[in-house]
Amino acid sequence: MAPIHFFFPYQKFSLTQRNKLKSFIRDIFKKEKKSLIKLQYIFCTDTYLLEINRQYLQHDYYTDIITFELGTAGKIDGEIYISVERVKENAHLMQTSFKEELHRVIFHGVLHLCGYKDKLKKEKLEMRSKEDRLLHLYFN
């Protein structure tokens, strides 16, 4: 079973039902026919993620998530950095709960690792549709 780890070096909050979440994430990879080797989530601050965005992607703006694929030859070894501050702000703006928005972003990173993009309007719509479906399956 591929290890999935959650790290909270820069944020203090509780992520409930971790085993259920890990199992659900593994199932996403299986359904997408992707080979997961290892996955790490790092929950951090806006400032920390902004620095990663600048250093590795040459982007000078805040974001809620950055996903890195470190594996080779179809074997997924991923690192997903999530700004808890951005997720809270986005939840407020989208008029949804922090818990739902956090899980949307968690699944968003998985979808990126599975090959889904979100730069073009059509890609964004597909990504949002898949996120909505995953949220529905996870919470119901």
Side-chain angles (χ1 to χ4, degrees):
M1 185 173 355
I4 298 174
H5 300 285
F6 301 108
F7 298 100
F8 307 86
Y10 309 102
Q11 289 294 302
K12 290 184 170 59
F13 75 96
S14 179
L15 184 61
T16 60
Q17 298 183 311
R18 290 184 198 188
N19 288 334
K20 175 187 175 188
L21 181 56
K22 288 177 183 182
S23 178
F24 189 81
I25 290 168
R26 286 185 191 102
D27 286 347
I28 296 170
F29 285 107
K30 284 179 193 169
K31 287 176 186 170
E32 291 290 331
K33 296 178 176 52
K34 302 294 180 183
S35 178
L36 177 63
I37 303 303
K38 180 175 65 174
L39 181 56
Q40 298 182 97
Y41 284 91
I42 299 92
F43 297 93
C44 56
T45 63
D46 270 349
T47 304
Y48 187 83
L49 199 53
L50 178 60
E51 187 54 38
I52 290 173
N53 213 7
R54 287 175 176 157
Q55 183 176 352
Y56 294 100
L57 302 175
Q58 290 73 51
H59 297 157
D60 192 20
Y61 53 81
Y62 292 110
T63 186
D64 54 358
I65 184 171
I66 295 177
T67 304
F68 291 106
E69 166 55 79
L70 308 172
T72 57
K75 298 187 184 296
I76 296 172
D77 178 356
E79 285 184 0
I80 298 175
Y81 293 81
I82 296 175
S83 167
V84 176
E85 291 168 295
R86 270 311 90 213
V87 171
K88 286 179 183 175
E89 178 67 22
N90 289 343
H92 176 73
L93 292 172
M94 302 296 285
Q95 298 180 332
T96 190
S97 70
F98 170 73
K99 182 177 181 177
E100 182 176 318
E101 187 62 18
L102 179 65
H103 284 78
R104 178 181 299 282
V105 174
I106 287 170
F107 301 150
H108 183 91
V110 170
L111 291 170
H112 273 307
L113 290 171
C114 288
Y116 293 95
K117 309 282 185 221
D118 61 358
K119 296 296 180 205
L120 304 174
K121 184 177 182 179
K122 180 180 175 183
E123 294 170 339
K124 286 179 185 178
L125 290 172
E126 181 181 22
M127 179 75 83
R128 181 55 68 141
S129 174
K130 289 196 172 291
E131 292 167 3
D132 288 344
R133 175 86 173 120
L134 291 170
L135 286 168
H136 177 77
L137 289 171
Y138 185 75
F139 287 112
N140 294 309

